[in-house]
Amino acid sequence: MSAVATPRRTPSGPRRSKLGWNVLGLLVFVTAGFPVYWMLNTAFKPAKDAIDPDPSLFPTGVTLDNFRRALDIADFWGPVGRSLIVSLSVVVIGIVVGMLAALAISRFAFRGRKIVIVGILAVQMVPLVAMIIPVFLLLNDLDQYDRLSGLVITYLTFVLPFTVWTLRGFIVNIPKELEEAAMVDGCSRTGAFLRVVFPLLAPGMVATSVYAFIQAWNEYLYALMLMSQKNQTATVWLGNFTTKHGTEYAPMMAGATMMAVPIVVLFLIVQRKMAAGLTAGAVKG
Amino acid sequence: MSAADTTTPTKAPPARQASPPAVPRAPRRRRAPGGSAVPWALLAPCLLILALVMGYPLVRLVTLSFQKFGQSQLWGFQPAESVGLDNFTKVLGDSEFWSVVLRTIIFAGGSVVFTMVAGMLIALLLQRVSGWVKTLVNIALVAGWGMPIIVATTVFKWLFDSDYGVFNAVLSKLPGVDMVGHNWFASGPQGLAVIMLLVVWGAVPFVVITLSAGLTQVPQELEEAARLDGAGSWGVFRYVTLPILKPIVVMLTTLSVIWDMGVFPQVFVMRGGHPEAEFQLLTTYSYDRAFVVNDYAQGSAIALLTVLLLLGVVAVYMRQMLKIGEVE
């Protein structure tokens, strides 16, 4: 039908045909957004409204009590502080080390390059869960069990391959000719990189850092397995709302909100850039 | 280097007249086989870290699965002794293991199919909606994507709560449906369906955003040409859009398989840290053997079998990524 209509579309045609698509789009919006909406809605509801068997879809009263309660439960700032320390350390190491490796892969032709790429990518394939047992034993041997530093080195297993691969994507998108031109003008190879490539790479590096930060911040399994109760991180902290008396859902949603909102905002800022980095070369290939 | 300078002029002169700067010559010089110490020096820190935190545990995973390794070996009271293939024969001879494998394949397969189909449909839809609808959908998707898995799991647990969950309440408003007090987690298949929904909900945004980025690179002229030649919407998609997107689709599908085979916190947290037998997937099963039964060796054997199961898929993915890496 549309195939016939397309060639002689009147100006009002496309607009009218958009209505149906827009309705569908709004449906997707509501479906995809509902869990987030329900988290926020419950977080700001009085706790007794949260346990109404016939919940109202729209907020009736707004309160901050749930947030107060969430902050009280088993110390909120300790776990958040630990998560911050771990995630920031992972980002710094991951970006510096990953950048060097990404440069090697994207700007040099050398024997063994293929094997290195396969190796780094293969690491990403191994599910974290498969590794808990030996990682647990390794940290035990290194006396790093139940230590933030131990958590940092284990997080590098999944953050490093990721930073190498995405930074590679960003570097590849910067034309080699720019570097070469700088070198013709008398820059050394390092100088050309620092003065020409590095500034162009900065946005990509910021996006990669934020994304790596989020990955480290969100990790749950290792944090649960490798840290004791007194050293728990933010993700594990969220489990504290479930006791043998049941789950305190309203404060739990307040806790979830506090954990999710900063991350989601960071994410919104960098996601466009990230998609570009992740798919760099994918279509051209 | 100087050798290259002296040999190139034979071909260079005509080019040099056309374009004054000598730029085109530089890459050829750089590609020379010498100086391979630099890339290795750049790679060294990365490779060292990965060897320590990934290589060593991987080797340990393999050796562990051929040993007897329980609590007393962990604390060093007894040395770990080799038991050959014992762990594997025990695992493979257990009918429960095979039902877990089957369940995992159905679960991961279903999640991947739903994720890819929904992702593709939404990506195509986003091309057709008005700007403001696109923005709204993107915000909802990114909010879901950025949400920590653990937060999403907690929220879904709340949505599907048997007594106060909004899902039951809304469903019950439909005529003839009474889901009040329905416990979704009383049965494995229903509970896993809820968990699959959670996994798909969390995975779709990445697929949509990546595919949308890919769709912008599909030349408009090609689609228009196909349309003029009489192709319908499906034909255009099947013969023009999809082939161009194929590399991305392959990449996304393989990544999804890897991630969905590795689903752990979703099940673990949903079931309060103790998934029942009919909720066990390979990941939780391996965890269970290692840390609940305290048989680290059998847990490792199961983990290793999971990795092997994934290898087939990984091979496909690797080829794709290598192709991308080759083109630079």
Side-chain angles (χ1 to χ4, degrees), chain B residues 46-262:
Chain B
C46 178
L47 296 181
L48 276 177
I49 292 179
L50 289 180
L52 170 74
V53 289
M54 204 72 198
Y56 174 81
L58 261 181
V59 172
R60 191 82 191 258
L61 180 70
V62 177
T63 54
L64 255 179
S65 55
F66 290 100
Q67 288 174 336
K68 179 179 158 60
F69 205 98
Q71 286 256 289
S72 40
Q73 284 81 11
L74 176 65
W75 303 119
F77 301 138
Q78 272 175 37
E81 50 177 292
S82 174
V83 292
L85 289 168
D86 263 19
N87 293 313
F88 290 97
T89 45
K90 243 183 261 166
V91 170
L92 295 173
D94 185 354
S95 65
E96 198 190 345
F97 171 75
W98 292 105
S99 56
V100 171
V101 170
L102 187 66
R103 191 179 300 127
T104 308
I105 291 174
I106 295 172
F107 178 85
S111 307
V112 171
V113 170
F114 284 125
T115 304
M116 290 307 296
V117 170
M120 183 60 93
L121 288 176
I122 297 174
L124 289 171
L125 176 65
L126 285 185
Q127 280 199 311
R128 288 161 176 76
V129 298
S130 311
W132 61 277
V133 177
K134 193 172 179 174
T135 309
L136 280 180
V137 175
N138 270 330
I139 290 175
L141 289 177
V142 174
W145 186 16
M147 243 187 177
I149 286 180
I150 202 71
V151 171
T153 309
T154 332
V155 171
F156 268 70
K157 204 173 164 185
W158 171 227
L159 290 174
F160 285 89
D161 186 88
S162 61
D163 298 324
Y164 310 115
V166 67
F167 193 75
N168 281 346
V170 169
L171 270 189
S172 301
K173 291 214 170 86
L174 297 172
V177 183
D178 181 20
M179 298 294 273
V180 174
H182 177 73
N183 184 356
W184 288 89
F185 296 97
S187 91
Q190 272 190 26
L192 284 173
V194 172
I195 297 173
M196 194 189 283
L197 188 70
L198 159 65
V199 169
V200 172
W201 178 80
V204 159
F206 175 65
V207 174
V208 172
I209 286 161
T210 316
L211 284 178
S212 295
L215 280 171
T216 60
Q217 305 202 23
V218 176
Q220 212 86 64
E221 306 81 50
L222 273 183
E223 295 190 339
E224 264 155 39
R227 229 168 255 132
L228 285 177
D229 287 347
S233 310
W234 169 250
V236 173
F237 175 73
R238 171 74 185 75
Y239 296 106
V240 179
T241 318
L242 199 58
I244 296 177
L245 287 182
K246 198 185 150 212
I248 298 191
V249 172
V250 171
M251 182 187 86
L252 289 173
T253 310
T254 7
L255 276 176
S256 303
V257 172
I258 290 159
W259 289 333
D260 292 348
M261 287 283 292

Side-chain angles (χ1 to χ4, degrees), chain A residues 179-192:
Chain A
E179 253 171 298
E180 281 155 10
M183 285 163 76
V184 167
D185 289 347
C187 269
S188 67
R189 181 150 205 168
T190 318

Side-chain angles (χ1 to χ4, degrees), chain A residues 22 29 32 42 50-51 109 113 118 125 134 137-138 157 165 172 176 189 211 218 221 225 249 252 263 267 279 282, chain B residues 30-31 53 56-57 74 129-130 136-137 145-146 148 154 158 164 201 210 247 258 264 287 317-318 321 325 328:
Chain A
N22 280 347
F29 165 71
T42 309
I51 48 170
R113 177 170 170 273
V118 173
M125 308 300 137
L137 297 173
L138 170 73
T157 49
W165 191 245
V172 165
K176 256 188 190 152
R189 181 150 205 168
Y211 203 82
N218 286 354
L221 180 60
M225 290 302 301
Y249 274 114
M252 189 186 219
I263 298 296
F267 216 89
T279 52
Chain B
R30 193 87 32 72
R31 286 282 178 177
V53 289
Y56 174 81
L74 176 65
V129 298
S130 311
L136 280 180
V137 175
W145 186 16
T154 332
W158 171 227
Y164 310 115
W201 178 80
T210 316
I258 290 159
F264 179 91
Y287 173 91
Y317 173 77
M318 286 308 226
M321 291 310 247
E328 292 178 306

Side-chain angles (χ1 to χ4, degrees), chain A residues 112-158:
Chain A
R113 177 170 170 273
K114 216 169 182 176
I115 298 169
V116 169
I117 294 181
V118 173
I120 291 176
L121 286 172
V123 166
Q124 262 180 310
M125 308 300 137
V126 182
L128 280 190
V129 206
M131 302 290 284
I132 332 171
I133 303 158
V135 161
F136 171 73
L137 297 173
L138 170 73
L139 293 189
N140 225 6
D141 291 348
L142 295 176
D143 197 21
Q144 288 293 319
Y145 175 75
D146 198 16
R147 287 192 187 192
L148 294 183
S149 49
L151 211 53
V152 171
I153 57 173
T154 51
Y155 281 7
L156 287 172
T157 49
F158 59 89

